[in-house]
């Protein structure tokens, strides 16, 4: 396992950031063009690909600021110090509600690419965040696209939260904790002591940590994202529509 992580770290350090960034940008452009050409004639009369890309870029910039700038990161004393709240998912959800899940995913990709040069985890943390945010965002936006009302929002966020919480616990147990222990050269006992400073009830850095820390942390974060997204989107959704004036 250590040799695999070491090889992964070396590959990311030498090639990963640039190569993966280019691939993700290419995928985003292909999906965006496919989305555009699949629309019916009436929608094409109002829809502007340039405007869509520009708006995705704007929301991507907002998400990047919330993701990269430490000023917008909140640490809570009752969670381990390496778990911190940031609200970069909010712009992605607003874009996803307004323009569809592909747009929301595009925002997540943009903020991830912008964060990669500042990585301190050989990009593992950034791509883990991208995966978890995507697991959260895609089902929410798909459900809301089919049912554009408060019930659709509630069902979507419920499904997305459950999926992300489960995925977050699994990734922490089998990827994050082993990787960070190796990457920062911190023994498991050292990580356990850090966790117990916040919550003495944590007995190991496996499923006890996942249930006692990761689970409540993600539930709290997702609840805040739900409330903020709903309030902001409800206030500005009219201005996000494509029409002759915008």
């Amino acid at each position: 396992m250590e040799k695999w992580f070491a090889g992964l770290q070396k590959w990311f350090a030498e090639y990963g950031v640039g190569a993966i960034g280019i691939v993700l940008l290419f995928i985003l452009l292909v999906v965006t063009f496919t989305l555009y050409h699949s629309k019916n004639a009436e929608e094409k009369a109002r829809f502007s690909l340039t405007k869509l890309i520009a708006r995705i870029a704007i929301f991507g910039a907002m998400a990047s600021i919330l993701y990269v700038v430490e000023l917008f990161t909140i640490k809570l004393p009752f969670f381990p110090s390496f778990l911190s709240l940031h609200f970069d998912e909010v712009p992605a959800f607003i874009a996803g509600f307004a323009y569809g899940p592909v747009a929301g995913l595009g925002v997540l990709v943009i903020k991830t690419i912008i964060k990669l040069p500042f990585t301190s985890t050989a990009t593992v943390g950034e791509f883990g965040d991208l995966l978890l945010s995507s697991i959260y965002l895609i089902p929410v936006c798909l459900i809301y696209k089919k049912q554009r009302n408060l019930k659709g929002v509630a069902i979507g966020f419920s499904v997305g939260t459950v999926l992300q919480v489960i995925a977050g616990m699994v990734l922490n147990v089998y990827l994050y904790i082993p990787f960070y222990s190796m990457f920062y050269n911190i023994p498991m006992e050292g990580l356990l002591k850090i966790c117990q400073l916040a919550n003495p009830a944590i007995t190991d850095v496996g499923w006890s940590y996942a249930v006692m820390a990761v689970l409540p942390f993600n539930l709290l974060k997702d609840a805040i994202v739900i409330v903020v997204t709903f309030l902001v989107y409800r206030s500005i959704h009219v201005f996000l529509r494509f029409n002759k004036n915008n």
Side-chain angles (χ1 to χ4, degrees), residues 189-212:
E189 293 78 10
L191 289 175
L192 178 58
K193 290 180 180 179
I194 295 174
C195 294
Q196 289 179 330
L197 289 175
N199 186 350
I202 298 174
T203 58
D204 61 64
V205 288
W207 285 104
S208 174
Y209 161 72
V211 173
M212 301 297 295

Side-chain angles (χ1 to χ4, degrees), residues 54 124 153 162:
V124 171
V153 172
V162 170

Side-chain angles (χ1 to χ4, degrees), residues 175-187:
L175 175 61
Y176 288 160
I177 291 298
F179 174 79
Y180 290 141
S181 176
M182 182 278 300
F183 188 78
Y184 292 110
N185 195 28
I186 303 176

Side-chain angles (χ1 to χ4, degrees), residues 5-6 24 37 53 73 88 91 130 136-137 146 167 178-179 195 204:
F5 278 130
L24 291 175
H37 287 292
I53 294 176
T73 298
D88 48 279
L130 174 61
Y136 188 24
L137 178 138
K146 297 293 184 180
F179 174 79
C195 294
D204 61 64

